[in-house]
Amino acid sequence: MREVRRESRAVILDGQQARREAANLLQQPTLDANALAAALERARNADATIRSRLEQRIVEFAASSPLDDRKLLADALLRHVGRQRPIPAKNTP
């Protein structure tokens, strides 16, 4: 995981910069919607790139790990799912 973070440093920094730009644009008297959309897209792309790299590293690790270690990964995934708030039901008329 640390290796992915180290390898992705430039992508992480770009995503952070894109978020700062988006925040700055939101504070301007006149909103430049196109620039805001572009900054948010850069942040989203950075997030997706990092997540993809991390997930690939997990797959590589799992492929070479014994069942007991894979069970630990599965437990961690399930704990993460349990921490998420449930999606509220839609109110339909």
Side-chain angles (χ1 to χ4, degrees):
M1 307 272 185
R2 278 184 234 132
E3 187 177 329
V4 170
R5 185 179 174 109
R6 188 175 55 252
E7 292 171 355
S8 301
R9 179 112 174 101
V11 177
I12 292 168
L13 292 174
D14 186 53
Q16 291 171 345
Q17 180 61 33
R19 284 180 186 77
R20 281 191 288 275
E21 289 173 19
N24 183 47
L25 288 163
L26 287 168
Q27 296 177 51
Q28 298 304 309
T30 303
L31 179 64
D32 183 342
N34 290 331
L36 177 60
L40 292 173
E41 182 177 9
R42 273 185 41 225
R44 184 173 52 255
N45 289 341
D47 291 347
T49 297
I50 294 164
R51 181 174 177 152
S52 178
R53 290 177 182 180
L54 182 59
E55 288 173 350
Q56 182 57 41
R57 190 59 50 95
I58 290 169
V59 168
E60 292 166 5
F61 174 79
S64 64
S65 296
L67 178 58
D68 287 343
D69 289 346
R70 293 194 318 267
K71 284 182 180 181
L72 291 173
L73 283 173
D75 289 343
L77 284 172
L78 293 174
R79 278 194 308 275
H80 178 72
V81 169
R83 286 190 307 223
Q84 294 175 344
R85 289 184 276 173
I87 298 172
K90 290 185 179 180
N91 294 334
T92 54

